[in-house]
Amino acid sequence: MEGGLFIALYDEKSLKLYLNKGLYGFLMKPVFSQEPSSRSKHYAVFSSRSKHYAVLADYACSREGTDVFFFLKRKIVYGGKIYGNKDSGSFYLNGKTSPLGIKSNANLFWDESTRYVPTETEGVFKVNGSNKAQPFIFQFHQNELTGKYITSDDLYFELGKYPYPLPSNSMQDMGFCTLTPGEVRELNKMIFDSQNRIDFSATVEIEKNGEETLFDDKMVDIKQNFINEAQLEFTILSSLSPFSSFLKDDYILCRQVPISPFKPMDMDRADICLYSINNSINFGTIPNVVIELKRGKANFHAYEQVNRYLRWLEQISSKEDFEKIEAYIIADSFTSIKKEKVHLKYSDKIKLFSIDKMDFEELS
């Protein structure tokens, strides 16, 4: 089983460029500042960095071997397999337009400024009047499937056999999302059988230039003060090694996964879902581990949120499969969660882990 990334693009020139060069970088606002000391005093900086960490959390789910799929105008096009890191987030830092890039003194090895409106700042260009950069880059090996495509309807008809939402059919308003192993399995099977292929041989003349800086999980610290939950999410997803005492399996990592019945809006999404490579549930479409995150102190509301996830997972799983599922709330610390304040039906499955103590806590 492999994980996957589903990346929405908006023009064919970009698609052909990324297929030809074997890479992709999300366009985002550059950030040059250090950590803001407060939200109220540095709101603009806080907002920019918050968006950075939300994007970084998606990047952090990747590992070497992750499949890349591009979504453009009802076509789902295969890219290739990500390379870089096997046990931590597999992406590259591109220039000094992000806190991680500044910290690592990263070289700008990929620059699309000539496609847009260049600025005087290296790696920064204007798109529709706004400053943009590509501080993080996926790189992937092309193979015999690169450029082959199916229609989006092909995928969604196939996923219709699962009576629950999956990331790829609930990604409205998202630039890209992680895919469950089950979705990757279905996509690869259909891509392999497809006779449709995009010719990406002719493309914009942009080349990689200079040394590349691969992300290193030593750049982040699980015992830091997080500015928001997205930063905590990114830090955990970038490497599971701090939690190896209880997350012992080999997993495919996904984030913001719908764990909910189909609803017109406000679908419940789990912060992190882990899919066991060795002991998958329903072809890797149902997670083995669900993790709810809270920056600061978690209270009974987080516990009740996980109860809702488990209530739904029990409904869509066999009894045998549901027994495989574990749930964790990971937070800096916990308020006293009293047993009489929460439903205890799934108390044997829900574990509370304090980052401050790097240990488990109990209900009071």
Side-chain angles (χ1 to χ4, degrees):
M1 292 200 313
E2 299 289 355
L5 294 170
F6 205 37
I7 300 170
L9 296 178
Y10 302 97
D11 67 275
E12 196 162 303
K13 284 186 178 179
S14 295
L15 172 64
K16 291 182 176 181
L17 174 64
Y18 299 143
L19 291 175
N20 184 280
K21 304 304 179 183
L23 53 73
Y24 167 77
F26 188 79
L27 298 180
M28 53 198 299
K29 187 173 182 178
V31 173
F32 302 104
S33 62
Q34 300 299 314
E35 293 284 359
S37 58
S38 72
R39 179 168 183 165
S40 59
K41 191 175 180 181
H42 303 275
Y43 178 77
V45 172
F46 185 97
S47 177
S48 296
R49 290 179 67 96
S50 298
K51 293 175 183 177
H52 260 71
Y53 287 122
V55 173
L56 264 175
D58 280 322
Y59 276 80
C61 290
S62 66
R63 298 293 187 269
E64 190 164 273
T66 299
D67 284 307
V68 175
F69 302 90
F70 294 106
F71 187 19
L72 172 68
K73 297 178 181 177
R74 297 186 64 191
K75 291 187 178 75
I76 299 174
V77 186
Y78 184 78
K81 288 187 175 293
I82 285 176
Y83 63 85
N85 290 324
K86 292 182 179 180
D87 300 316
S88 60
S90 189
F91 61 94
Y92 293 79
L93 306 177
N94 186 42
K96 303 172 187 65
T97 54
S98 70
L100 282 178
I102 295 168
K103 184 176 181 179
S104 61
N105 195 32
N107 174 57
L108 182 75
F109 72 90
W110 177 255
D111 187 5
E112 291 187 36
S113 294
T114 56
R115 296 187 62 205
Y116 301 101
V117 180
T119 70
E120 295 181 357
T121 305
E122 184 182 58
V124 178
F125 42 87
K126 289 192 177 293
V127 181
N128 297 326
S130 298
N131 282 351
K132 298 293 182 182
Q134 292 170 294
F136 316 115
I137 300 289
F138 289 125
Q139 299 202 68
F140 54 86
H141 291 302
Q142 301 100 327
N143 55 42
E144 68 280 0
L145 300 181
T146 301
K148 294 186 74 172
Y149 69 89
I150 61 172
T151 68
S152 55
D153 282 348
D154 291 337
L155 172 64
Y156 296 132
F157 271 98
E158 193 64 27
L159 295 183
K161 64 189 178 186
Y162 298 107
Y164 41 86
L166 293 164
S168 64
N169 56 21
S170 56
M171 67 170 291
Q172 186 175 1
D173 300 325
M174 298 170 68
F176 64 94
C177 71
T178 54
L179 296 174
T180 67
E183 291 167 290
V184 174
R185 173 178 171 270
E186 301 289 358
L187 275 167
N188 280 335
K189 184 168 57 177
M190 289 185 285
I191 291 284
F192 181 85
D193 292 336
S194 175
Q195 300 302 309
N196 302 315
R197 186 185 294 272
I198 289 176
D199 179 7
F200 55 88
S201 56
T203 185
V204 181
E205 289 302 318
I206 300 176
E207 301 293 340
K208 291 191 292 185
N209 179 36
E211 182 180 353
E212 303 161 18
T213 302
L214 180 62
F215 169 74
D216 187 335
D217 64 324
K218 295 183 179 64
M219 297 174 181
V220 297
D221 181 8
I222 193 63
K223 301 283 285 185
Q224 64 181 295
N225 292 320
F226 299 102
I227 67 168
N228 63 2
E229 285 182 14
Q231 186 185 15
L232 172 59
E233 193 176 356
F234 156 65
T235 302
I236 291 175
L237 287 166
S238 66
S239 175
L240 296 179
S241 59
F243 312 99
S244 59
S245 62
F246 57 94
L247 298 177
K248 298 179 180 180
D249 206 344
D250 287 327
Y251 295 106
I252 303 298
L253 283 62
C254 290
R255 67 176 292 264
Q256 297 303 314
V257 177
I259 305 292
S260 164
F262 286 101
K263 296 194 289 187
M265 61 184 66
D266 299 326
M267 194 175 294
D268 290 333
R269 292 178 181 269
D271 292 325
I272 295 174
C273 285
L274 307 181
Y275 299 78
S276 172
I277 294 174
N278 304 309
N279 196 13
S280 65
I281 302 175
N282 206 10
F283 304 107
T285 60
I286 292 177
N288 298 72
V289 178
V290 177
I291 299 175
E292 182 73 4
L293 301 177
K294 292 298 175 187
R295 182 179 71 93
K297 289 189 175 183
N299 58 24
F300 70 94
H301 292 295
Y303 198 93
E304 288 300 277
Q305 178 69 53
V306 176
N307 266 326
R308 287 197 296 275
Y309 296 149
L310 291 171
R311 178 186 174 190
W312 177 239
L313 291 172
E314 184 178 31
Q315 183 170 326
I316 62 176
S317 306
S318 68
K319 183 177 180 180
E320 179 183 2
D321 284 338
F322 188 66
E323 289 176 356
K324 302 177 186 177
I325 296 174
E326 302 172 341
Y328 297 91
I329 302 171
I330 298 180
D332 291 330
S333 59
F334 290 84
T335 61
S336 177
I337 302 178
K338 299 183 182 300
K339 292 180 179 179
E340 59 266 26
K341 292 273 287 184
V342 295
H343 294 86
L344 299 176
K345 180 178 180 180
Y346 306 113
S347 60
D348 61 323
K349 284 187 171 294
I350 304 174
K351 304 293 190 298
L352 315 179
F353 188 84
S354 165
I355 294 174
D356 287 349
K357 298 177 180 178
M358 290 305 287
D359 202 357
F360 290 100
E361 295 197 4
E362 301 291 335
L363 297 177
S364 60

